[in-house]
Amino acid sequence: MKHNVDATLPYFIPAPPFLFLIGTFGAFIKIKSPIYRRDALLQIGAAGPIAGFIIAVPALIIGLMISTVVIVDSEQVGIILGDSILMKILTALTHPGLPDNMDILLHPVAFAGWIGLLVTMLNLLPIGQLDGGHIAYAMLGDKHKIVAKAAFLALIPLSFLSLNWLVWGILILVLMRTTKHPPIQDIRTPLSKENMYVGYVCLVIFLLCFIPAPFQTPQ
């Protein structure tokens, strides 16, 4: 593969639906050879989230356009999907002036786009060997461990908004056993400006996709 890094195919991580509605925690790859340069590490970390974002956004837009607007029922049962900044923007563009007593019943295409953005956001958390961890370590070097610990500790208060964060935190501990990123040899060589911009793009994507409470039940 590019940068001569040996990696496995993606490992699919199943999840019980009662823990995570979509039935999967996503997938991860195992890097089997060392990464020597910061530029390579950042590009490897950024490739997946950017590609996923590019695919998910058009799917969400198209799906929202063909979704059904329904009257909100106070006695309805089911799951309410949380809103990210991007979701709010796209909803306002595709369904302007939506009354408070109306809501959108997502078309499956829109739901797939929403899930894509959720998985992208989770993977961009700057922790360990998540893609966000690769990016943060490439940009911050040894300072990454402070950001990683802060991000992991932030999952605790977020768990009071949604238990999904607790499950995700436990999964990180089980699979990675640490919030730290393994060192690379050439950490002292600074990133190129182009790759720094790529890192900032990933930060913007994370902020646009962040959902405080991904899955909620009607009150």
Side-chain angles (χ1 to χ4, degrees):
M1 63 181 296
K2 188 178 180 181
H3 301 300
N4 295 317
V5 174
D6 185 19
T8 66
L9 293 172
Y11 290 106
F12 175 76
I13 310 174
F18 64 86
L19 285 180
F20 208 58
L21 180 65
I22 59 176
T24 176
F25 289 117
F28 71 96
I29 62 172
K30 183 177 181 180
I31 297 175
K32 301 168 66 176
S33 62
I35 301 174
Y36 296 102
R37 297 182 296 107
R38 295 174 78 167
D39 282 340
L41 180 63
L42 186 136
Q43 290 174 18
I44 290 170
I50 291 177
F53 184 79
I54 291 173
I55 294 172
V57 170
L60 182 56
I61 293 173
I62 294 171
L64 281 170
M65 293 174 66
I66 57 178
S67 293
T68 305
V69 176
V70 297
I71 298 175
V72 175
D73 183 357
S74 59
E75 297 182 357
Q76 66 182 346
V77 295
I79 299 295
I80 299 174
L81 303 181
D83 282 338
S84 62
I85 294 175
L86 182 60
M87 184 69 175
K88 288 181 179 293
I89 293 173
L90 295 181
T91 299
L93 291 175
T94 55
H95 297 275
L98 191 69
D100 292 338
N101 66 332
M102 306 291 285
D103 204 351
I104 300 173
L105 182 62
L106 289 185
H107 187 276
V109 173
F111 181 66
W114 184 91
I115 290 295
L117 295 181
L118 173 65
V119 172
T120 296
M121 180 270 292
L122 292 174
N123 206 22
L124 280 174
L125 288 170
I127 299 173
Q129 294 196 62
L130 295 174
D131 283 336
H134 294 324
I135 296 167
Y137 183 71
M139 296 180 72
L140 302 174
D142 290 336
K143 295 179 181 178
H144 161 261
K145 59 186 178 183
I146 300 174
V147 175
K149 286 182 180 179
F152 186 78
L153 290 175
L155 299 181
I156 297 174
L158 285 172
S159 297
F160 289 96
L161 298 177
S162 173
L163 287 178
N164 300 123
W165 291 109
L166 177 62
V167 174
W168 188 241
I170 293 173
L171 187 66
I172 289 173
L173 284 179
V174 170
L175 293 178
M176 301 183 189
R177 302 178 185 176
T178 179
T179 61
K180 297 179 181 178
H181 191 284
I184 61 174
Q185 285 191 351
D186 193 15
I187 192 61
R188 295 182 180 179
T189 301
L191 284 173
S192 65
K193 285 186 178 181
E194 292 79 7
N195 281 314
M196 285 295 291
Y197 292 145
V198 171
Y200 291 135
V201 167
C202 290
L203 175 60
V204 171
I205 290 174
F206 174 78
L207 295 175
L208 287 174
C209 297
F210 181 76
I211 307 173
F215 301 106
Q216 308 166 52
T217 55
Q219 299 297 323

